[in-house]
mmCIF file of all heavy atoms in Angstrom:
data_model
loop_
_atom_site.group_PDB
_atom_site.id
_atom_site.type_symbol
_atom_site.label_atom_id
_atom_site.label_comp_id
_atom_site.label_asym_id
_atom_site.label_seq_id
_atom_site.Cartn_x
_atom_site.Cartn_y
_atom_site.Cartn_z
ATOM 1 N N VAL A 12 -6.058 1.662 -13.993
ATOM 2 C CA VAL A 12 -5.154 2.820 -14.082
ATOM 3 C C VAL A 12 -5.500 3.576 -15.309
ATOM 4 O O VAL A 12 -5.442 2.991 -16.451
ATOM 5 C CB VAL A 12 -3.640 2.377 -14.068
ATOM 6 C CG1 VAL A 12 -2.771 3.633 -14.285
ATOM 7 C CG2 VAL A 12 -3.341 1.743 -12.701
ATOM 8 N N GLN A 13 -5.850 4.870 -15.241
ATOM 9 C CA GLN A 13 -6.338 5.640 -16.403
ATOM 10 C C GLN A 13 -5.236 6.352 -17.016
ATOM 11 O O GLN A 13 -4.509 7.124 -16.378
ATOM 12 C CB GLN A 13 -7.393 6.608 -15.944
ATOM 13 C CG GLN A 13 -8.607 6.019 -15.272
ATOM 14 C CD GLN A 13 -9.385 5.054 -16.139
ATOM 15 O OE1 GLN A 13 -9.473 5.236 -17.338
ATOM 16 N NE2 GLN A 13 -9.978 4.030 -15.524
ATOM 17 N N GLY A 14 -5.044 6.189 -18.307
ATOM 18 C CA GLY A 14 -4.061 6.916 -19.028
ATOM 19 C C GLY A 14 -4.539 8.258 -19.547
ATOM 20 O O GLY A 14 -3.739 9.083 -19.993
ATOM 21 N N GLY A 15 -5.841 8.508 -19.522
ATOM 22 C CA GLY A 15 -6.451 9.734 -20.002
ATOM 23 C C GLY A 15 -7.764 9.426 -20.610
ATOM 24 O O GLY A 15 -8.804 9.568 -19.975
ATOM 25 N N ASN A 16 -7.795 8.943 -21.830
ATOM 26 C CA ASN A 16 -9.020 8.584 -22.492
ATOM 27 C C ASN A 16 -9.333 7.044 -22.522
ATOM 28 O O ASN A 16 -10.257 6.593 -23.053
ATOM 29 C CB ASN A 16 -9.075 9.104 -23.909
ATOM 30 C CG ASN A 16 -7.965 8.600 -24.769
ATOM 31 O OD1 ASN A 16 -7.158 7.783 -24.356
ATOM 32 N ND2 ASN A 16 -7.909 9.108 -26.003
ATOM 33 N N LYS A 17 -8.448 6.294 -21.835
ATOM 34 C CA LYS A 17 -8.643 4.876 -21.722
ATOM 35 C C LYS A 17 -7.826 4.293 -20.579
ATOM 36 O O LYS A 17 -6.928 4.878 -20.007
ATOM 37 C CB LYS A 17 -8.169 4.158 -23.022
ATOM 38 C CG LYS A 17 -6.751 4.284 -23.363
ATOM 39 C CD LYS A 17 -6.418 3.513 -24.690
ATOM 40 C CE LYS A 17 -4.892 3.652 -24.921
ATOM 41 N NZ LYS A 17 -4.525 2.922 -26.167
ATOM 42 N N ALA A 18 -8.189 3.107 -20.156
ATOM 43 C CA ALA A 18 -7.408 2.422 -19.114
ATOM 44 C C ALA A 18 -6.175 1.768 -19.771
ATOM 45 O O ALA A 18 -6.162 1.282 -20.857
ATOM 46 C CB ALA A 18 -8.260 1.285 -18.509
ATOM 47 N N VAL A 19 -5.055 1.789 -19.007
ATOM 48 C CA VAL A 19 -3.796 1.229 -19.437
ATOM 49 C C VAL A 19 -3.391 0.003 -18.647
ATOM 50 O O VAL A 19 -2.315 -0.563 -18.963
ATOM 51 C CB VAL A 19 -2.674 2.333 -19.480
ATOM 52 C CG1 VAL A 19 -3.001 3.468 -20.413
ATOM 53 C CG2 VAL A 19 -2.476 2.846 -18.035
ATOM 54 N N GLY A 20 -4.084 -0.303 -17.664
ATOM 55 C CA GLY A 20 -3.712 -1.475 -16.800
ATOM 56 C C GLY A 20 -4.423 -1.458 -15.424
ATOM 57 O O GLY A 20 -5.373 -0.638 -15.283
ATOM 58 N N TYR A 21 -3.981 -2.259 -14.561
ATOM 59 C CA TYR A 21 -4.476 -2.300 -13.133
ATOM 60 C C TYR A 21 -3.383 -1.885 -12.251
ATOM 61 O O TYR A 21 -2.208 -2.133 -12.526
ATOM 62 C CB TYR A 21 -4.951 -3.693 -12.821
ATOM 63 C CG TYR A 21 -6.291 -4.134 -13.507
ATOM 64 C CD1 TYR A 21 -6.223 -5.101 -14.463
ATOM 65 C CD2 TYR A 21 -7.539 -3.588 -13.148
ATOM 66 C CE1 TYR A 21 -7.357 -5.485 -15.142
ATOM 67 C CE2 TYR A 21 -8.671 -4.029 -13.786
ATOM 68 C CZ TYR A 21 -8.591 -4.999 -14.834
ATOM 69 O OH TYR A 21 -9.731 -5.392 -15.459
ATOM 70 N N GLY A 22 -3.738 -1.344 -11.074
ATOM 71 C CA GLY A 22 -2.788 -0.994 -10.077
ATOM 72 C C GLY A 22 -2.194 -2.284 -9.499
ATOM 73 O O GLY A 22 -2.924 -3.329 -9.405
ATOM 74 N N SER A 23 -0.977 -2.262 -9.032
ATOM 75 C CA SER A 23 -0.305 -3.436 -8.397
ATOM 76 C C SER A 23 -0.855 -3.697 -6.967
ATOM 77 O O SER A 23 -1.242 -2.775 -6.360
ATOM 78 C CB SER A 23 1.187 -3.252 -8.412
ATOM 79 O OG SER A 23 1.663 -3.124 -9.717
ATOM 80 N N LEU A 24 -0.748 -4.980 -6.624
ATOM 81 C CA LEU A 24 -1.305 -5.431 -5.316
ATOM 82 C C LEU A 24 -0.301 -6.125 -4.458
ATOM 83 O O LEU A 24 0.731 -6.777 -4.993
ATOM 84 C CB LEU A 24 -2.537 -6.302 -5.519
ATOM 85 C CG LEU A 24 -3.707 -5.638 -6.200
ATOM 86 C CD1 LEU A 24 -4.840 -6.766 -6.306
ATOM 87 C CD2 LEU A 24 -4.269 -4.540 -5.327
ATOM 88 N N LEU A 25 -0.592 -6.209 -3.159
ATOM 89 C CA LEU A 25 0.088 -7.141 -2.271
ATOM 90 C C LEU A 25 -0.919 -8.194 -1.828
ATOM 91 O O LEU A 25 -2.079 -7.936 -1.770
ATOM 92 C CB LEU A 25 0.621 -6.372 -0.997
ATOM 93 C CG LEU A 25 1.628 -5.304 -1.161
ATOM 94 C CD1 LEU A 25 1.835 -4.557 0.177
ATOM 95 C CD2 LEU A 25 2.950 -5.873 -1.695
ATOM 96 N N LYS A 26 -0.434 -9.363 -1.567
ATOM 97 C CA LYS A 26 -1.274 -10.366 -0.920
ATOM 98 C C LYS A 26 -1.573 -9.933 0.470
ATOM 99 O O LYS A 26 -0.873 -9.121 1.080
ATOM 100 C CB LYS A 26 -0.562 -11.722 -0.924
ATOM 101 C CG LYS A 26 -0.409 -12.306 -2.317
ATOM 102 C CD LYS A 26 0.267 -13.622 -2.301
ATOM 103 C CE LYS A 26 0.506 -14.180 -3.734
ATOM 104 N NZ LYS A 26 1.115 -15.530 -3.746
ATOM 105 N N ASP A 27 -2.758 -10.409 1.030
ATOM 106 C CA ASP A 27 -3.217 -9.853 2.272
ATOM 107 C C ASP A 27 -2.202 -10.114 3.390
ATOM 108 O O ASP A 27 -1.988 -9.300 4.269
ATOM 109 C CB ASP A 27 -4.549 -10.462 2.638
ATOM 110 C CG ASP A 27 -5.686 -9.921 1.777
ATOM 111 O OD1 ASP A 27 -5.461 -9.014 0.988
ATOM 112 O OD2 ASP A 27 -6.779 -10.460 1.845
ATOM 113 N N ASN A 28 -1.589 -11.253 3.397
ATOM 114 C CA ASN A 28 -0.557 -11.595 4.396
ATOM 115 C C ASN A 28 0.648 -10.672 4.360
ATOM 116 O O ASN A 28 1.155 -10.195 5.356
ATOM 117 C CB ASN A 28 -0.120 -13.058 4.310
ATOM 118 C CG ASN A 28 -1.095 -14.011 4.874
ATOM 119 O OD1 ASN A 28 -1.880 -13.642 5.746
ATOM 120 N ND2 ASN A 28 -1.190 -15.189 4.320
ATOM 121 N N ALA A 29 1.048 -10.353 3.087
ATOM 122 C CA ALA A 29 2.146 -9.366 2.952
ATOM 123 C C ALA A 29 1.806 -8.025 3.445
ATOM 124 O O ALA A 29 2.542 -7.303 4.016
ATOM 125 C CB ALA A 29 2.561 -9.357 1.490
ATOM 126 N N ALA A 30 0.522 -7.586 3.163
ATOM 127 C CA ALA A 30 0.019 -6.288 3.647
ATOM 128 C C ALA A 30 0.077 -6.319 5.220
ATOM 129 O O ALA A 30 0.401 -5.261 5.825
ATOM 130 C CB ALA A 30 -1.333 -5.978 3.124
ATOM 131 N N LYS A 31 -0.395 -7.381 5.735
ATOM 132 C CA LYS A 31 -0.431 -7.467 7.232
ATOM 133 C C LYS A 31 1.001 -7.321 7.800
ATOM 134 O O LYS A 31 1.273 -6.555 8.757
ATOM 135 C CB LYS A 31 -1.007 -8.793 7.702
ATOM 136 C CG LYS A 31 -0.719 -9.249 9.085
ATOM 137 C CD LYS A 31 -1.534 -8.532 10.123
ATOM 138 C CE LYS A 31 -1.394 -9.145 11.452
ATOM 139 N NZ LYS A 31 -1.990 -8.294 12.537
ATOM 140 N N GLN A 32 2.008 -7.985 7.156
ATOM 141 C CA GLN A 32 3.390 -7.857 7.626
ATOM 142 C C GLN A 32 3.899 -6.446 7.368
ATOM 143 O O GLN A 32 4.595 -5.956 8.241
ATOM 144 C CB GLN A 32 4.237 -8.812 6.750
ATOM 145 C CG GLN A 32 4.029 -10.286 7.222
ATOM 146 C CD GLN A 32 4.913 -11.234 6.343
ATOM 147 O OE1 GLN A 32 4.910 -11.112 5.132
ATOM 148 N NE2 GLN A 32 5.544 -12.154 7.067
ATOM 149 N N LEU A 33 3.546 -5.893 6.321
ATOM 150 C CA LEU A 33 3.906 -4.508 5.946
ATOM 151 C C LEU A 33 3.516 -3.545 7.067
ATOM 152 O O LEU A 33 4.292 -2.815 7.628
ATOM 153 C CB LEU A 33 3.342 -4.097 4.599
ATOM 154 C CG LEU A 33 3.363 -2.641 4.228
ATOM 155 C CD1 LEU A 33 4.828 -2.179 4.048
ATOM 156 C CD2 LEU A 33 2.637 -2.373 2.943
ATOM 157 N N PHE A 34 2.250 -3.572 7.416
ATOM 158 C CA PHE A 34 1.726 -2.610 8.361
ATOM 159 C C PHE A 34 2.204 -2.935 9.811
ATOM 160 O O PHE A 34 2.516 -2.057 10.524
ATOM 161 C CB PHE A 34 0.158 -2.628 8.321
ATOM 162 C CG PHE A 34 -0.407 -2.142 7.064
ATOM 163 C CD1 PHE A 34 -1.643 -2.671 6.636
ATOM 164 C CD2 PHE A 34 0.202 -1.172 6.309
ATOM 165 C CE1 PHE A 34 -2.167 -2.272 5.406
ATOM 166 C CE2 PHE A 34 -0.347 -0.726 5.118
ATOM 167 C CZ PHE A 34 -1.516 -1.319 4.612
ATOM 168 N N ASP A 35 2.297 -4.254 10.128
ATOM 169 C CA ASP A 35 2.842 -4.600 11.400
ATOM 170 C C ASP A 35 4.184 -4.063 11.671
ATOM 171 O O ASP A 35 4.598 -3.460 12.695
ATOM 172 C CB ASP A 35 2.778 -6.083 11.662
ATOM 173 C CG ASP A 35 1.436 -6.662 12.046
ATOM 174 O OD1 ASP A 35 0.536 -5.851 12.377
ATOM 175 O OD2 ASP A 35 1.279 -7.884 11.943
ATOM 176 N N GLY A 36 5.057 -4.228 10.549
ATOM 177 C CA GLY A 36 6.400 -3.787 10.720
ATOM 178 C C GLY A 36 6.528 -2.253 10.652
ATOM 179 O O GLY A 36 7.312 -1.694 11.411
ATOM 180 N N ARG A 37 5.820 -1.606 9.657
ATOM 181 C CA ARG A 37 6.057 -0.226 9.442
ATOM 182 C C ARG A 37 5.472 0.628 10.565
ATOM 183 O O ARG A 37 5.907 1.739 10.735
ATOM 184 C CB ARG A 37 5.481 0.172 8.166
ATOM 185 C CG ARG A 37 5.875 1.510 7.563
ATOM 186 C CD ARG A 37 7.464 1.537 7.497
ATOM 187 N NE ARG A 37 7.920 2.755 6.868
ATOM 188 C CZ ARG A 37 8.967 3.463 7.455
ATOM 189 N NH1 ARG A 37 9.528 3.059 8.502
ATOM 190 N NH2 ARG A 37 9.420 4.564 6.875
ATOM 191 N N CYS A 38 4.483 0.115 11.267
ATOM 192 C CA CYS A 38 3.754 0.957 12.225
ATOM 193 C C CYS A 38 4.333 0.853 13.622
ATOM 194 O O CYS A 38 3.709 1.176 14.578
ATOM 195 C CB CYS A 38 2.265 0.600 12.210
ATOM 196 S SG CYS A 38 1.425 1.071 10.677
ATOM 197 N N THR A 39 5.472 0.208 13.809
ATOM 198 C CA THR A 39 6.049 0.064 15.104
ATOM 199 C C THR A 39 6.898 1.266 15.558
ATOM 200 O O THR A 39 7.040 1.442 16.802
ATOM 201 C CB THR A 39 6.987 -1.189 15.166
ATOM 202 O OG1 THR A 39 8.029 -1.031 14.134
ATOM 203 C CG2 THR A 39 6.193 -2.475 14.848
ATOM 204 N N SER A 40 7.440 2.106 14.639
ATOM 205 C CA SER A 40 8.227 3.228 15.044
ATOM 206 C C SER A 40 7.357 4.339 15.585
ATOM 207 O O SER A 40 6.255 4.563 15.164
ATOM 208 C CB SER A 40 9.020 3.688 13.814
ATOM 209 O OG SER A 40 9.849 2.691 13.339
ATOM 210 N N GLY A 41 7.882 5.059 16.552
ATOM 211 C CA GLY A 41 7.164 6.112 17.182
ATOM 212 C C GLY A 41 6.767 7.214 16.262
ATOM 213 O O GLY A 41 5.698 7.896 16.463
ATOM 214 N N TYR A 42 7.543 7.454 15.153
ATOM 215 C CA TYR A 42 7.276 8.571 14.235
ATOM 216 C C TYR A 42 6.185 8.250 13.333
ATOM 217 O O TYR A 42 5.635 9.160 12.647
ATOM 218 C CB TYR A 42 8.512 8.842 13.418
ATOM 219 C CG TYR A 42 8.789 7.772 12.344
ATOM 220 C CD1 TYR A 42 8.266 7.954 11.114
ATOM 221 C CD2 TYR A 42 9.497 6.652 12.655
ATOM 222 C CE1 TYR A 42 8.357 6.983 10.134
ATOM 223 C CE2 TYR A 42 9.614 5.683 11.726
ATOM 224 C CZ TYR A 42 9.110 5.841 10.422
ATOM 225 O OH TYR A 42 9.228 4.899 9.493
ATOM 226 N N SER A 43 5.677 6.956 13.192
ATOM 227 C CA SER A 43 4.869 6.568 12.083
ATOM 228 C C SER A 43 3.356 6.729 12.348
ATOM 229 O O SER A 43 2.560 6.335 11.497
ATOM 230 C CB SER A 43 5.126 5.127 11.722
ATOM 231 O OG SER A 43 4.815 4.238 12.806
ATOM 232 N N GLY A 44 3.019 7.186 13.528
ATOM 233 C CA GLY A 44 1.551 7.190 13.869
ATOM 234 C C GLY A 44 0.621 7.942 12.938
ATOM 235 O O GLY A 44 -0.473 7.456 12.641
ATOM 236 N N GLY A 45 1.177 8.968 12.256
ATOM 237 C CA GLY A 45 0.348 9.729 11.323
ATOM 238 C C GLY A 45 0.306 9.199 9.877
ATOM 239 O O GLY A 45 -0.407 9.691 9.042
ATOM 240 N N PHE A 46 1.086 8.183 9.601
ATOM 241 C CA PHE A 46 1.166 7.674 8.255
ATOM 242 C C PHE A 46 -0.121 7.035 7.850
ATOM 243 O O PHE A 46 -0.684 6.186 8.556
ATOM 244 C CB PHE A 46 2.310 6.597 8.123
ATOM 245 C CG PHE A 46 3.697 7.194 8.122
ATOM 246 C CD1 PHE A 46 3.921 8.547 8.210
ATOM 247 C CD2 PHE A 46 4.743 6.342 8.015
ATOM 248 C CE1 PHE A 46 5.181 9.051 8.280
ATOM 249 C CE2 PHE A 46 6.064 6.892 7.964
ATOM 250 C CZ PHE A 46 6.293 8.159 8.103
ATOM 251 N N ALA A 47 -0.678 7.345 6.648
ATOM 252 C CA ALA A 47 -1.858 6.771 6.081
ATOM 253 C C ALA A 47 -1.518 5.427 5.554
ATOM 254 O O ALA A 47 -0.582 5.231 4.761
ATOM 255 C CB ALA A 47 -2.441 7.664 5.016
ATOM 256 N N LEU A 48 -2.276 4.386 5.955
ATOM 257 C CA LEU A 48 -1.973 3.035 5.545
ATOM 258 C C LEU A 48 -2.005 2.867 3.997
ATOM 259 O O LEU A 48 -1.216 2.114 3.394
ATOM 260 C CB LEU A 48 -2.938 2.087 6.169
ATOM 261 C CG LEU A 48 -2.956 2.050 7.735
ATOM 262 C CD1 LEU A 48 -4.017 1.078 8.259
ATOM 263 C CD2 LEU A 48 -1.630 1.610 8.227
ATOM 264 N N TYR A 49 -3.011 3.527 3.366
ATOM 265 C CA TYR A 49 -3.137 3.372 1.942
ATOM 266 C C TYR A 49 -1.885 3.860 1.218
ATOM 267 O O TYR A 49 -1.509 3.403 0.109
ATOM 268 C CB TYR A 49 -4.424 3.966 1.383
ATOM 269 C CG TYR A 49 -4.378 5.513 1.198
ATOM 270 C CD1 TYR A 49 -3.935 6.026 0.040
ATOM 271 C CD2 TYR A 49 -4.696 6.336 2.204
ATOM 272 C CE1 TYR A 49 -3.910 7.448 -0.136
ATOM 273 C CE2 TYR A 49 -4.691 7.670 2.112
ATOM 274 C CZ TYR A 49 -4.284 8.251 0.917
ATOM 275 O OH TYR A 49 -4.252 9.573 0.712
ATOM 276 N N LYS A 50 -1.172 4.841 1.786
ATOM 277 C CA LYS A 50 -0.020 5.352 1.192
ATOM 278 C C LYS A 50 1.105 4.342 1.261
ATOM 279 O O LYS A 50 1.855 4.145 0.232
ATOM 280 C CB LYS A 50 0.439 6.663 1.803
ATOM 281 C CG LYS A 50 -0.483 7.895 1.495
ATOM 282 C CD LYS A 50 -0.068 9.106 2.220
ATOM 283 C CE LYS A 50 -0.809 10.388 1.784
ATOM 284 N NZ LYS A 50 -0.230 10.897 0.572
ATOM 285 N N ILE A 51 1.271 3.751 2.422
ATOM 286 C CA ILE A 51 2.279 2.754 2.612
ATOM 287 C C ILE A 51 2.062 1.598 1.621
ATOM 288 O O ILE A 51 2.940 1.084 0.931
ATOM 289 C CB ILE A 51 2.314 2.223 4.057
ATOM 290 C CG1 ILE A 51 2.647 3.378 4.960
ATOM 291 C CG2 ILE A 51 3.270 1.059 4.202
ATOM 292 C CD1 ILE A 51 2.520 3.016 6.495
ATOM 293 N N TYR A 52 0.788 1.202 1.543
ATOM 294 C CA TYR A 52 0.444 0.039 0.661
ATOM 295 C C TYR A 52 0.737 0.326 -0.800
ATOM 296 O O TYR A 52 1.335 -0.470 -1.501
ATOM 297 C CB TYR A 52 -1.012 -0.335 0.916
ATOM 298 C CG TYR A 52 -1.480 -1.535 0.140
ATOM 299 C CD1 TYR A 52 -1.827 -2.756 0.853
ATOM 300 C CD2 TYR A 52 -1.687 -1.564 -1.231
ATOM 301 C CE1 TYR A 52 -2.298 -3.884 0.164
ATOM 302 C CE2 TYR A 52 -2.171 -2.681 -1.916
ATOM 303 C CZ TYR A 52 -2.476 -3.797 -1.182
ATOM 304 O OH TYR A 52 -2.890 -4.904 -1.848
ATOM 305 N N GLY A 53 0.224 1.477 -1.303
ATOM 306 C CA GLY A 53 0.357 1.814 -2.670
ATOM 307 C C GLY A 53 1.800 1.834 -3.109
ATOM 308 O O GLY A 53 2.161 1.373 -4.182
ATOM 309 N N ALA A 54 2.724 2.414 -2.289
ATOM 310 C CA ALA A 54 4.095 2.507 -2.653
ATOM 311 C C ALA A 54 4.731 1.131 -2.684
ATOM 312 O O ALA A 54 5.532 0.835 -3.546
ATOM 313 C CB ALA A 54 4.860 3.405 -1.713
ATOM 314 N N ALA A 55 4.445 0.294 -1.683
ATOM 315 C CA ALA A 55 5.003 -1.055 -1.653
ATOM 316 C C ALA A 55 4.668 -1.835 -2.858
ATOM 317 O O ALA A 55 5.385 -2.528 -3.521
ATOM 318 C CB ALA A 55 4.609 -1.751 -0.343
#
């Protein structure tokens, strides 16, 4: 993660199983078809 002229840390992560659960659950609703997966992941 860039603060400007230097790095200030790393972005946060989910474990792969948690990401699988996240997408399986979030992508079940009819309205969610257009949601970008990377957006869901980054916010979680």
Side-chain angles (χ1 to χ4, degrees):
V12 174
Q13 305 296 329
N16 59 3
K17 64 179 181 179
V19 296
Y21 291 106
S23 297
L24 295 177
L25 298 173
K26 294 181 179 180
D27 289 351
N28 283 331
K31 164 74 171 171
Q32 288 180 312
L33 167 64
F34 297 147
D35 280 349
R37 195 56 177 135
C38 292
T39 57
S40 300
Y42 74 92
S43 63
F46 285 3
L48 299 176
Y49 79 90
K50 288 178 173 279
I51 298 174
Y52 184 108

